[in-house]
Amino acid sequence: MTAAPALLVEDLSVAFRTRGGVVQALEHVSFAVQKGETLAIVGESGSGKSVTAYAVMGILDPAGRVTAGRAMLGGLDLLAASADQVAAVRGREIAMIFQNPRTALNPIRTVGKQIADVLLRHANVPRREAPGRAVDLLRAVGITDPARRADAYPFEMSGGMCQRVMIAIALAARPSVLIADEPTTGLDVTTQAVIMDLIGDLARDIGMATIFITHDLALAAQRADRIVVMHAGHVVETAPTAELFARPRHPYTAELIAATPDAAANLSELASIPGALPDLRRSDLPPCRYAERCPRRQTDCDVALPAAPAIPEHVVACWNPLS
Amino acid sequence: MTRTLDSMSSAIVHAAPPPDPPLLDVAELKKRFPVSGTIGPLARLRRRMKGGPVHLPMVHAVDDVSFTIRKGETVGLVGESGCGKSTLVRVLTRLLDPTDGIVRLGGRELSLTPAKRFARDPDRGRIQMVFQDAGDSINPRFTAFAAIADPLRRLRGLSGAALTAKVEQAADQCGLPRALLSRFPHQLSGGQRARVGIARAVAVEPALLVLDEPTAALDVSVQVVILQLLERLKTELGMSYLFVSHDLGVVRLLCDRVLVMYLGKIVEAGPAQEVFSRPLHPYTRALVDAAPRLHGHGPAAVRLDGEPRSPIDPDPDVCRFYGRCPRGVDRCRTAMPDLRRLGDREVACHFAEETPA
Ligand SMILES: Nc1ncnc2c1ncn2[C@@H]1O[C@H](COP(=O)(O)OP(=O)(O)OP(=O)(O)O)[C@@H](O)[C@H]1O
Ligand SMILES: Nc1ncnc2c1ncn2[C@@H]1O[C@H](COP(=O)(O)OP(=O)(O)OP(=O)(O)O)[C@@H](O)[C@H]1O
Ligand code: SF4
Ligand code: SF4
Ligand SMILES: [Mg+2]
Ligand SMILES: [Mg+2]
């Protein structure tokens, strides 16, 4: 991997102010995604996947602050750039599919118009052609009878239909980087396949780089080239997909894979990962945030971990990894 | 409401007292929505000027659906995005009025009470719902604590220390750290918000809990906690569930029976294990084949080709799956297959008997 990555995130740290203290949501998060590549970010609920995406897109909650790091989109550092510079690339060069589709759409504008707006603003589509192209995009994301459904408002669509409208909006400008935060969680598996194929086609045709945030390990296994595993605001392991599933090295990754209910015969057979994410407001968080849950903990583990390089083949942040 | 006297009397026949009435009884339920752009003064004017037919195009979101849920039973509801699952559950939790049909809870006909009035109905506490957009359905000005406490106060009359204890218990049961109870929804991750939504519905201990995609935002680890909690409440309190999900693995593990919906209609129903291990309807087959597996080999080979039929004024004489169905033949577009009983299964396909094992 020698070419410059489409997006490089390096040493990203984010903190939130709350009434109960400062939440250290992200610490030294690094990863890179190449042109045409699909990189999955997986990890437990609350591990910092969405916050990572929001920080890169410049849309963190006002109580949140980027305390360190850079996010390079080509030559532009999104975290240091002016609001105008970021606004100029957002939606055009880098687009995002949000986890909560209904609130991300404009409730008082029809879905067809919302897609047409993006085509006019970011894709240089002539005004006359925009409505027709919007209908084509609705069809591409699997909306039935798209010509008649283009006039519907978000509240008149199902949860999964809103999600697909948002996907159509994100893909309308054919961005070079797509951040997809749980893009198919509200979708049945046949529709999910349609959407993932569509994203895959764009990756192939225009070299779109995709950051695919999910907690569905089976889907990540099927669709991602590489996988980043996050735990409590840290990247704990990064590896090519097949390698990660065949030889997980971080104890947390191994637990995560073991907890996937692929072949379980009944509910009592399923195991959840022991322990919970630590409270990220604590001032005495151990350097390895998994330490308090980890069966392989040893004395070394209380020494700060070396920072992981950004473009690795298989990197694990652990003093005592599985071999 | 457009119920005729005729359908009322047939409903009474239907109610001939069975020995052990089901907790929930849904009969011939229909829900239609006008298509956007066809209502309102402007559209009315346009229609008048054209002088054309006055028929309004309608989305047939739920079309003639009947099923029952017994006490202590878990029924799964699966189907394609947009097929009408949320509309169905919103009608039976009385958030929407049906176009036609009957919803009975413990023998009482709920569909007679308009949705607007049901909010203050004494039976409100017997049926609770976890919404699909769990996070978005929580009042943004409520902390997690207040969101869980609100129905307990209104429906169970709890206050003070008893209320606090019950809220904390519900949070613990759902794997929601107590430290998060003072946070507002926007300060929580997607999965943390989903757990608030589940905790607030579970805390009330309803007779029937309707869950619309409750685990979609949850990672496997939290999912296990929730599923085992539901299982425990079912044994301890005899709670019943209607569980809407796209995750067939979870439905197989949790549910006694499953209903498969396609374009507003139930196309297959039966014991969950059997339906998924040996689907009889071609749509169920496609669904089962498309599920990604951790140790599978690349994307599933089966794709549903062909244009799906529109939910807007669908032809009553054409099978809803025709056009995408790999088996479809001429007969499928001249006669709508009825939902027929085959052993302990129900299937709506002309060729259900001939499906190879
Ligand atoms: N505005 C905020 N104020 C305080 N804490 C926050 C805020 N936003 C997020 N957090 C916290 O930061 C952590 C990471 O949240 P994030 O939304 O990134 O999780 P996630 O990995 O996307 O989880 P999920 O899979 O549940 O969506 C969580 O513990 C969350 O509670
Ligand atoms: N208020 C409404 N006005 C008009 N049409 C509606 C309304 N609510 C739902 N619909 C339509 O009814 C159909 C069924 O929607 P519903 O939300 O029940 O689907 P669903 O099965 O829950 O899908 P998903 O899995 O995507 O959540 C869709 O075609 C939708 O557009
Ligand atoms: S660094 Fe130590 S405590 Fe942390 S995951 Fe590795 S072995 Fe476990
Ligand atoms: S009736 Fe015909 S079109 Fe419909 S599911 Fe059966 S084979 Fe397919
Ligand atoms: Mg998230
Ligand atoms: Mg729905």
Side-chain angles (χ1 to χ4, degrees), chain A residues 54-108:
Chain A
Y54 296 157
V56 169
M57 295 296 290
I59 50 173
L60 275 178
D61 184 68
R65 208 161 55 83
V66 174
T67 54
R70 48 185 206 135
M72 302 301 296
L73 178 74
L76 182 71
D77 181 356
L78 294 171
L79 303 180
S82 70
D84 284 350
Q85 279 174 309
V86 176
V89 294
R90 197 166 41 212
R92 180 189 291 264
E93 290 292 319
I94 181 166
M96 177 159 174
I97 300 169
F98 292 89
Q99 196 174 0
N100 44 348
R102 219 176 277 270
T103 45
L105 293 174
N106 181 346
I108 56 165

Side-chain angles (χ1 to χ4, degrees), chain A residues 45 145 156 164 188 197 215, chain B residues 36 81 216 218-219 221 303 310:
Chain A
S45 172
D145 208 345
E156 293 173 313
R164 287 179 277 157
D188 60 285
D197 285 353
H215 51 72
Chain B
S36 215
S81 168
L218 302 179
D219 62 88
S221 190
R303 282 283 183 284
S310 175

Side-chain angles (χ1 to χ4, degrees), chain B residues 135-288:
Chain B
D136 313 338
S137 65
I138 301 170
N139 188 329
R141 287 187 302 270
F142 277 15
T143 61
F145 183 96
I148 301 171
D150 181 53
L152 284 170
R153 199 180 286 128
R154 278 187 296 112
L155 301 169
R156 291 283 175 265
L158 292 184
S159 63
L163 180 64
T164 306
K166 187 75 198 167
V167 171
E168 287 177 349
Q169 183 200 1
D172 293 350
Q173 284 179 328
C174 296
L176 184 71
R178 287 190 191 179
L180 298 180
L181 285 175
S182 61
R183 299 239 190 124
F184 291 95
H186 76 276
Q187 298 176 310
L188 296 171
S189 81
Q192 290 164 346
R193 275 199 297 262
R195 274 171 275 172
V196 174
I198 296 169
R200 76 191 298 239
V202 163
V204 178
E205 295 177 358
L208 175 68
L209 181 57
V210 178
L211 305 106
D212 196 354
E213 298 275 1
T215 59
L218 302 179
D219 62 88
V220 285
S221 190
V222 182
Q223 216 174 71
V224 173
V225 172
I226 300 295
L227 297 179
Q228 288 173 346
L229 170 68
L230 295 179
E231 192 72 16
R232 202 171 66 237
L233 293 175
K234 171 169 150 176
T235 351
E236 287 172 8
L237 306 175
M239 260 164 78
S240 307
Y241 306 106
L242 179 61
F243 188 86
V244 182
S245 179
H246 287 306
D247 190 331
L248 303 187
V250 166
V251 171
R252 184 176 59 89
L253 286 175
L254 186 75
C255 299
D256 306 310
R257 272 192 310 129
V258 63
L259 312 171
V260 183
M261 234 176 131
Y262 188 84
L263 222 71
K265 284 192 172 295
I266 292 180
V267 295
E268 181 157 7
Q273 296 280 356
E274 276 177 45
V275 169
F276 291 141
S277 57
R278 190 170 164 260
L280 294 180
H281 194 280
Y283 172 68
T284 318
R285 161 102 275 158
L287 198 60
V288 169

Side-chain angles (χ1 to χ4, degrees), chain A residues 84-161:
Chain A
D84 284 350
Q85 279 174 309
V86 176
V89 294
R90 197 166 41 212
R92 180 189 291 264
E93 290 292 319
I94 181 166
M96 177 159 174
I97 300 169
F98 292 89
Q99 196 174 0
N100 44 348
R102 219 176 277 270
T103 45
L105 293 174
N106 181 346
I108 56 165
R109 201 161 168 74
T110 66
V111 297
K113 288 208 176 100
Q114 293 190 53
I115 298 173
D117 288 346
V118 178
L119 289 168
L120 292 171
R121 197 154 9 107
H122 295 310
N124 310 320
V125 169
R127 186 161 292 278
R128 228 169 354 97
E129 290 172 24
R133 290 276 295 277
V135 170
D136 292 343
L137 274 162
L138 284 174
R139 185 176 293 111
V141 294
I143 303 278
T144 326
D145 208 345
R148 286 204 273 181
R149 298 325 285 278
D151 291 331
Y153 292 91
F155 82 91
E156 293 173 313
M157 304 211 118
S158 79
M161 290 163 82

Side-chain angles (χ1 to χ4, degrees), chain A residues 46 49-51 54 99 181-182 213, chain B residues 189-191:
Chain A
K49 306 180 296 292
S50 299
V51 169
Y54 296 157
Q99 196 174 0
D181 193 355
E182 309 275 8
I213 297 174
Chain B
S189 81

Side-chain angles (χ1 to χ4, degrees), chain A residues 250-251 288 290-291 294 296-298 301 305 318-320:
Chain A
H250 197 282
C288 169
Y290 190 57
C294 181
R296 298 175 63 84
R297 185 179 188 177
Q298 50 184 36
C301 299
L305 287 158
C318 175
W319 287 110
N320 184 23

